[in-house]
Amino acid sequence: MSSALPPLTPPPEPVDMPLLAFGSADDEPCLRADAARNRARLLEAAACLVREQGAANLTMEAVAAAASVGKGTVFRRFGDRTGLLTALLDHSEKKFQAAFMSGPPPLGPGAGPVERLGAFGVALLRRTGDELELQLAAEPHPERRFSAAPRRVLHGHVVLLLRQAVPAADCELLAQTLMGYLSPVLVHHLTRQCGMPLERLEAGWLDLVARVTRTDFCC
Amino acid sequence: MSSALPPLTPPPEPVDMPLLAFGSADDEPCLRADAARNRARLLEAAACLVREQGAANLTMEAVAAAASVGKGTVFRRFGDRTGLLTALLDHSEKKFQAAFMSGPPPLGPGAGPVERLGAFGVALLRRTGDELELQLAAEPHPERRFSAAPRRVLHGHVVLLLRQAVPAADCELLAQTLMGYLSPVLVHHLTRQCGMPLERLEAGWLDLVARVTRTDFCC
C-alpha cells in the first residue's frame, strides 16, 4: 500500500468535523483538505465494517457510530446507502491502484514483473475476499464487463507486466486469462459455493502466473 | 462430431411430416423416432440461420421456410421463439458434448490430453462464434454462472483432461482459468468490441494450453 494513503484502520484521534459546512466551500483549499480527510475516514470506517460484517449488513448508522460522527454527517456526505457503497468501491479501487502503481514492491515498482504479477493477484484476491458482496453488486452488465473503467486499469497493468515477462507472447489475451481468474464472480463461486479457502486461490494464482510466464516462481 | 448425430446441413430429402399427429403418440416407437428426426431437422435449419444471420434475426417463419415445413409446424413443435432458442442451445450443447465425449479424435477420445484440450477450446470457440447472441442471451445470473449444468459438463471435461496432462497441479483451478478464456462474454468482447479475428483467439487458446500444461504443443 502507498504510504501517502490513509491506513485501513481509522486514525486514533477523533475528528468529528461539521462536514455540512464544507458543502459549498470548494474554493477554500484548507477546508477542502479537511473535507477530503473526513470523507476518507468515513470510508475507511465503512470498509472495516464491510470486511467484518459483509456489505449486506452495512448501514449509515453503523458507519456513523464507527467513525464517531453523527448519522446526519454520513447522510450529508453520501446521500444514501447506495451512494456510500459506490463511494466505498471507488475509494478502495483508488487505494489499490495507488498501491500497485506507486506503492512499495513487490506489488509496486521495484520487483521483477513475475513477482509483481504474483503480488498483484494475491492482493486483489484478498481485496475481493473482503469486499465480495460489494463487488458482486457492482458487476457491470455483460456488454460492459470487460470495458468498465476500473477493470480496464487492472487489465492494463497486467498487460504491462506480461510484456516485460513474456514479450513474445500475445499478452493481451494472456492478461484476459489472468484477469478471469481474479473475477469476483469466480471468487464467490469458489469460496462461497465450493467452500475453498482463499489461500488455495492465492496458491493457484501463483502457480498460474508461473505457468503462464513459464517460470518456476513460487513464494 | 459423432457420426450418430445428424449433420449440420439439413438432409437432402424433404421430410415434411405432420408433427401435430405425433403430439400424443409417445408410446409408438416408430412415430417417436420420426418426430425426433423432424425436430432435429428443424433445429439444424434454425442453427444454420443463426450462423448466417445471427440469433436476433431468427424468426419462426424463416425456420419453417428453411426446413420446407409450414409455419404452424414450427410453432406446434417449440411453442414460441423463446422455446425455439432454448431448444436450439440444448441441441447444440448435446451435439458438442457427444463430439468431445465419443466423437473422433482429437476432440474425442484417442488423442493425448493436451491435444484434446487444444481441440476442445478451438471447437468451443468456433461454436461460440456461431452462436454468440444465443449464448449471451442465455448467460445465467452470476450466482449460477459457474454451477449451471452445461457449464459444469464442459468444466468437468477440462478437469479430466488436465488431470491426465498435469496430475500434480490444482486441476480444478486451472480448469476454471481455461474455461474463463472460453466464456461467451469474453469472446463477444474480444471479437465484437475489440475487433479481434476468431483465429487469434484460437491461436491464443493453443498457446495458453501449452503454457498451462508446460508443453510445447502447437498445431
Side-chain angles (χ1 to χ4, degrees), chain B residues 46 65 89 91-92 107 110 135 137 141 149 155 164 183:
Chain B
L89 259 186
H91 177 68
S92 153
L107 184 53
Q135 292 192 15
H141 184 270
H155 174 79
Q164 294 169 23
S183 140

Side-chain angles (χ1 to χ4, degrees), chain A residues 92-130:
Chain A
S92 154
E93 197 66 50
K94 286 196 176 112
K95 271 184 66 163
F96 187 66
Q97 287 177 17
F100 69 71
M101 284 176 175
S102 56
L107 184 52
V114 177
E115 204 187 343
R116 288 189 73 190
L117 274 174
F120 173 85
V122 169
L124 190 50
L125 284 170
R126 288 180 188 169
R127 185 186 146 212
T128 300
D130 283 345

Side-chain angles (χ1 to χ4, degrees), chain B residues 33-155:
Chain B
D34 276 350
R37 266 197 301 278
N38 252 289
R39 180 184 157 85
R41 213 177 115 250
L42 290 174
L43 288 172
E44 291 298 338
C48 270
L49 290 168
V50 166
R51 270 197 305 282
E52 286 162 11
Q53 302 166 13
N57 297 315
L58 188 73
T59 61
M60 304 292 265
E61 291 77 3
V63 174
S68 309
V69 301
K71 190 171 114 179
T73 301
V74 183
F75 274 95
R76 282 190 297 271
R77 179 57 64 190
F78 301 107
D80 58 13
R81 192 170 168 276
T82 301
L84 172 67
L85 293 176
T86 306
L88 195 51
L89 259 186
D90 182 62
H91 177 68
S92 153
E93 198 65 50
K94 286 197 177 113
K95 271 183 65 164
F96 187 65
Q97 287 178 16
F100 69 71
M101 283 177 178
S102 55
L107 184 53
V114 176
E115 203 187 344
R116 288 189 73 190
L117 273 174
F120 173 84
V122 169
L124 189 51
L125 283 170
R126 289 181 188 168
R127 183 186 146 211
T128 301
D130 284 344
E131 305 175 346
L132 200 43
E133 289 86 1
L134 208 57
Q135 292 192 15
L136 285 181
E139 212 208 15
H141 184 270
E143 288 275 326
R144 293 195 64 252
R145 195 175 302 154
F146 294 94
S147 49
R151 174 71 166 64
R152 277 215 317 274
V153 175
L154 302 181
H155 174 79

